[in-house]
Amino acid sequence: MALLMDGRIEPFRTEIVPAAREFKNKMQTIQESLFGNLAKGALAALGSGSVGSVGLTLFGALSWPHLLALAVPGAVYAGKAAIDSLTAERAAKRECAISYVLSLDS
């Protein structure tokens, strides 16, 4: 408790701990936004006329090469969402100096 009495530990509690909490919350938000964007894209594709209930019935009659050709736009959308998430994560790490300290823990 000697550290607490002379005030050296107080900046850790009042500045570093809240900054670490804010950084972890920002990382969680980035991950949630990635999965949210992927879910929105999947719902939009399922809701479109070409992939609705008629489209799902049609998929059974398509060959694998045709199915793969239809999957490419989905892969592109998922790739874009992943890249957006990665750039947001890197920006947050640059913005928050505490991220270096937190990376030592893992």
Side-chain angles (χ1 to χ4, degrees), residues 18-58:
R21 190 176 308 117
E22 181 182 341
F23 176 74
K24 286 183 179 183
N25 289 341
K26 192 176 285 191
M27 291 292 112
Q28 182 70 28
T29 301
I30 290 169
Q31 289 299 318
E32 289 169 355
S33 118
L34 168 65
F35 294 119
N37 287 337
L38 291 175
K40 284 190 293 187
L43 284 176
L46 286 175
S48 69
S50 64
V51 189
S53 59
V54 174
L56 291 175
T57 308
L58 178 66

Side-chain angles (χ1 to χ4, degrees), residues 55-99:
L56 291 175
T57 308
L58 178 66
F59 286 160
L62 292 176
S63 65
W64 278 106
H66 288 104
L67 287 173
L68 289 175
L70 289 173
V72 168
V76 169
Y77 184 84
K80 286 180 180 179
I83 290 169
D84 289 344
S85 174
L86 180 65
T87 56
E89 187 176 328
R90 286 184 178 176
K93 286 181 179 180
R94 280 192 306 273
E95 185 178 298
C96 184
I98 198 72
S99 67

Side-chain angles (χ1 to χ4, degrees), residues 1-6 9:
M1 282 294 167
L3 291 176
L4 184 59
M5 299 192 102
D6 68 5
I9 197 79

